[in-house]
Amino acid sequence: MTAREQNEIICACICRQTELYGEWARCHGMSYNTMMTLYALDLRDGITQKEITEGWLLPKQTVHTVIKELQRQGYVQLENGRDKKEKRIFFTPEGRAYAREQLADLYAMEDRALEAMGPQAAQALVTGQLAFTAAFEQEVRHG
């Protein structure tokens, strides 16, 4: 298989995975951006809006809107960090329970998908994704 063919498959898989996450979110009554914001917060409570937008490639204004709605519902609270402009976002106890409830099915599906691959293939996927991303980033930034 040529490098071009490999890249086509990689790109198609990334796009399909994003589409599947969006489909899952819609089936569970939320937008892709809301789901990914909850996902980011669940992985790292105390993250900033900027870290969510940059780390998860979500639109800044959309993340702001999602955070404001979660705050209105009593699921998150914002606290000043070192930089007064950038607030850290924390789940309230109700918010933590809400996120875990909302995402439990998704986490279980992700776990089952990795288990179905087997431990060696799953580790190879992670190792390969990290290596490809680092090499591709180097090319984009300095190529």
Side-chain angles (χ1 to χ4, degrees):
M1 185 177 298
T2 68
R4 179 73 257 138
E5 291 168 330
Q6 290 172 326
N7 279 308
E8 287 175 20
I9 292 169
I10 290 167
C11 189
C13 286
I14 291 168
C15 291
R16 180 69 178 136
Q17 289 167 15
T18 300
E19 180 183 42
L20 289 167
Y21 277 100
E23 182 179 325
W24 183 92
R26 282 187 305 280
C27 288
H28 287 80
M30 67 182 95
S31 71
Y32 172 82
N33 292 323
T34 297
M35 182 214 41
M36 292 311 293
T37 300
L38 285 173
Y39 199 107
L41 284 167
D42 194 43
L43 291 176
R44 201 170 116 219
D45 207 20
I47 195 170
T48 66
Q49 180 178 314
K50 182 178 182 180
E51 291 168 333
I52 294 171
T53 60
E54 290 178 358
W56 297 86
L57 305 176
L58 300 173
K60 182 178 179 179
Q61 186 58 44
T62 303
V63 171
H64 177 76
T65 301
V66 169
I67 295 299
K68 286 298 176 191
E69 180 60 21
L70 292 171
Q71 187 178 28
R72 187 190 68 71
Q73 293 171 329
Y75 293 147
V76 298
Q77 58 191 22
L78 281 59
E79 296 178 10
N80 286 333
R82 283 178 255 139
D83 179 357
K84 299 275 189 219
K85 293 180 185 178
E86 197 66 47
K87 295 185 185 294
R88 299 225 163 258
I89 307 157
F90 294 91
F91 277 123
T92 62
E94 298 81 11
R96 167 78 50 215
Y98 172 75
R100 293 278 163 87
E101 178 185 320
Q102 292 295 310
L103 298 173
D105 188 39
L106 177 62
Y107 291 161
M109 292 170 71
E110 290 173 329
D111 291 349
R112 287 191 305 271
L114 285 173
E115 287 170 12
M117 294 174 63
Q120 289 179 334
Q123 186 56 53
L125 174 65
V126 171
T127 302
Q129 285 284 24
L130 290 170
F132 177 79
T133 301
F136 189 54
E137 182 175 14
Q138 188 71 10
E139 287 297 318
V140 169
R141 304 250 190 265
H142 307 291

